[in-house]
Amino acid sequence: MVSQVEIVSKEIIKPSSPTPSLRNLKLSFLDKLEGTNYGSILLFYENHTSPKLNRPQISHKLKQSLSETLTKFYPYAGRINGNNDSIDCNDSGALFVEAQVHSDLLQKIQSATKTDINQYLPINTSQSHQNYETNNFFPLAVQISFFRCGGVGIGVCLSHGVADMYTLATFVNSWAANCSGRTENFQPDFQIGNELFPLIEIPADQVPDPAAVHDFVAGEEKIVTKRLIFDVEILGEMKKQASSRSSSDNPTTVETISAFIWKHMIDAIRAKTATKKAFGAFHSVDIRRRISPPIPNAMGNFIVATLARCDSKDSGDFCDLVTPLREAIRKDYKEYIKNEQKILEYLGLLSKSEPERTCCLFTSICKFPLYEMEFGWGKPFAFFPMDQKIKNGVILMDTKGGDGIEAWISMAEDEVGMLPTQFLELENDAF
């Protein structure tokens, strides 16, 4: 069977002007933790114009604006050294892939699975262990997919070793603004990461591997992903319950919905494995605005995974889980800055094996302007977060309208079957 996605061309896009005097950019401790996975953004745009969008013109504008954007985001046109401690900002360039899709956009997206949409990305994100020392490793790679109907898909992969999701979204927004001719005054800061979180010598027994230790890797289990929609009415009722029945005042939307999902995942896991007596929830926290002074223009990795714990007796109601989540998330992150002892304690948290504890992993990209990424032909009608099928992984993001929450939940197939009907009724595959 012939693939409906045909790769038409591959080329290297270099910055339109030479990189500034900084040639070797030191990475931070938080960068070092992330390894070689790729983070990715996948956007789809409908064709609202007549005649169809001019493919050669779009391709040229995207390449030209990417080249110009790389002058500001110059590390992503460089190469990461083999020790993963610095970037050689040598203007080697980013990978640009162009593809033709022999089908219509809506036809493909409405029936898409997480496996299907990987073909619209320039890098196979399931291949987690890329080698920085090979010539074909690109910190940044993009793919433009042109659909038969005139729709366009834009997939962007950026090495997690140099960027978190906030950095990736910031880069794509800057590229989109450049492409559409909008004025964009944002000035990224690439050096502050190593200044605040310098690299330290990590003892061998404290090198963290949360995926292996906390059973986020599926192994032989089949992992399925559900997209649940929590509209404004559901969120309002949940927050009302959490405010009245939790010991925490005025819980946030993210705290509330995380507690609600965590509670149902605990019940499903407990129904399958009765020996599990304790449960945990890692929550990824962006600390850019949680330290003083805030650093909103900081590029790189500024995500800390904080752990909330719960014993079986403490999970009778989802409202009971709001407080441990809040206490875990709302730490004083200033104490981690340039504090080697605190950093080693943090590593110990990640690497400590707790065989009777099952953990979930929450990532919130709420408030990110994902549906504002306008390249000059309208805003995206669909956005797919890429999670590489993490077992017990949850991604939270705003709905397209901005007043609800989408939750992408990945669990073992047999455990999903143990979730209550009213929970699964929130599933929605329509875009």
Side-chain angles (χ1 to χ4, degrees):
M1 183 175 180
V2 178
S3 173
Q4 292 196 324
V5 180
E6 176 188 354
I7 302 301
V8 175
S9 64
K10 293 183 179 183
E11 59 183 288
I12 307 301
I13 304 298
K14 298 186 177 185
S16 59
S17 59
T19 285
S21 56
L22 177 66
R23 298 293 298 182
N24 189 270
L25 177 68
K26 291 184 178 180
L27 298 177
S28 73
F29 161 75
L30 296 179
D31 293 326
K32 185 81 171 181
L33 284 181
E34 293 299 337
T36 59
N37 287 332
Y38 278 97
S40 54
I41 280 179
L42 183 53
L43 302 154
F44 293 99
Y45 298 82
E46 291 182 278
N47 176 26
H48 294 296
T49 64
S50 182
K52 291 181 179 179
L53 292 170
N54 186 305
R55 172 175 167 175
Q57 184 181 28
I58 289 176
S59 180
H60 174 73
K61 286 187 67 176
L62 286 169
K63 293 174 187 177
Q64 182 181 49
S65 57
L66 177 59
S67 178
E68 293 167 354
T69 305
L70 285 173
T71 63
K72 183 185 291 188
F73 290 83
Y74 56 90
Y76 307 145
R79 295 294 180 265
I80 306 171
N81 70 25
N83 294 323
N84 188 20
D85 57 14
S86 66
I87 305 175
D88 182 7
C89 304
N90 57 14
D91 296 339
S92 291
L95 177 64
F96 188 97
V97 179
E98 193 169 317
Q100 176 66 50
V101 185
H102 301 289
S103 60
D104 293 336
L105 175 58
L106 289 176
Q107 171 191 343
K108 293 301 293 181
I109 299 308
Q110 294 291 3
S111 61
T113 67
K114 296 299 278 289
T115 302
D116 293 334
I117 60 178
N118 272 318
Q119 62 192 323
Y120 306 116
L121 291 172
I123 300 291
N124 186 349
T125 57
S126 64
Q127 295 176 352
S128 58
H129 298 291
Q130 308 289 332
N131 187 350
Y132 289 148
E133 296 177 317
T134 61
N135 293 328
N136 63 354
F137 183 87
F138 295 90
L140 172 66
V142 303
Q143 179 173 317
I144 313 305
S145 301
F146 292 94
F147 288 79
R148 184 174 58 194
C149 60
V152 177
I154 297 181
V156 184
C157 293
L158 187 55
S159 171
H160 218 332
V162 298
D164 55 21
M165 191 63 181
Y166 176 89
T167 301
L168 175 54
T170 301
F171 167 77
V172 176
N173 264 300
S174 184
W175 179 23
N178 204 324
C179 186
S180 63
R182 301 192 305 274
T183 301
E184 215 253 347
N185 296 318
F186 180 82
Q187 291 299 323
D189 186 339
F190 293 100
Q191 300 182 61
I192 193 170
N194 184 264
E195 292 173 5
L196 296 180
F197 300 98
L199 290 172
I200 62 173
E201 197 67 34
I202 303 174
D205 61 347
Q206 287 187 294
V207 175
D209 186 1
V213 172
H214 295 288
D215 205 24
F216 294 144
V217 174
E220 297 300 318
E221 292 178 291
K222 181 179 179 181
I223 303 300
V224 297
T225 299
K226 300 289 184 180
R227 174 178 177 259
L228 308 185
I229 303 295
F230 297 80
D231 62 27
V232 64
E233 290 80 12
I234 294 174
L235 290 175
E237 180 59 32
M238 287 171 55
K239 291 185 71 174
K240 182 179 178 181
Q241 292 180 37
S243 295
S244 63
R245 306 204 306 248
S246 167
S247 58
S248 297
D249 296 329
N250 193 28
T252 67
T253 299
V254 169
E255 290 169 348
T256 301
I257 198 169
S258 297
F260 181 81
I261 294 172
W262 188 21
K263 158 64 178 172
H264 284 88
M265 294 178 82
I266 286 174
D267 288 347
I269 295 169
R270 184 186 291 134
K272 175 183 175 181
T273 311
T275 58
K276 295 293 183 182
K277 303 298 183 184
F279 302 87
F282 277 102
H283 219 296
S284 297
V285 179
D286 186 340
I287 64 174
R288 288 174 175 84
R289 287 182 169 83
R290 294 179 181 270
I291 58 178
S292 182
I295 47 174
N297 63 331
M299 299 292 97
N301 286 284
F302 289 85
I303 300 296
V304 172
T306 185
L307 177 62
R309 292 180 169 89
C310 160
D311 293 324
S312 295
K313 58 181 173 52
D314 298 325
S315 60
D317 186 278
F318 86 89
C319 302
D320 298 328
L321 300 178
V322 171
T323 297
L325 277 169
R326 168 174 287 194
E327 290 174 349
I329 293 171
R330 300 192 185 188
K331 292 179 179 179
D332 182 3
Y333 294 98
K334 296 189 298 292
E335 64 184 9
Y336 287 92
I337 295 176
K338 295 183 178 180
N339 188 327
E340 186 168 329
Q341 184 56 41
K342 281 292 181 182
I343 287 174
L344 290 176
E345 290 176 8
Y346 171 62
L347 285 177
L349 169 72
L350 294 181
S351 59
K352 184 179 179 182
S353 177
E354 298 176 273
E356 292 191 359
R357 186 182 302 278
T358 296
C359 287
C360 307
L361 179 62
F362 288 85
T363 300
S364 171
I365 52 177
C366 296
K367 309 305 182 186
F368 286 17
L370 303 171
Y371 286 103
E372 301 300 316
M373 296 176 177
E374 210 275 281
F375 284 82
W377 47 82
K379 295 181 180 180
F381 89 97
F383 169 87
F384 283 82
M386 307 302 292
D387 62 1
Q388 300 167 11
K389 290 291 187 184
I390 295 175
K391 181 183 176 183
N392 299 331
V394 181
I395 298 178
L396 304 176
M397 58 179 282
D398 298 315
T399 55
K400 187 175 181 179
D403 56 357
I405 298 291
E406 292 184 22
W408 296 72
I409 301 174
S410 297
M411 296 179 67
E413 186 175 36
D414 57 344
E415 292 174 2
V416 169
M418 298 175 185
L419 292 170
T421 302
Q422 61 268 30
F423 185 86
L424 293 177
E425 285 176 349
L426 297 170
E427 184 176 8
N428 191 325
D429 292 327
F431 287 94

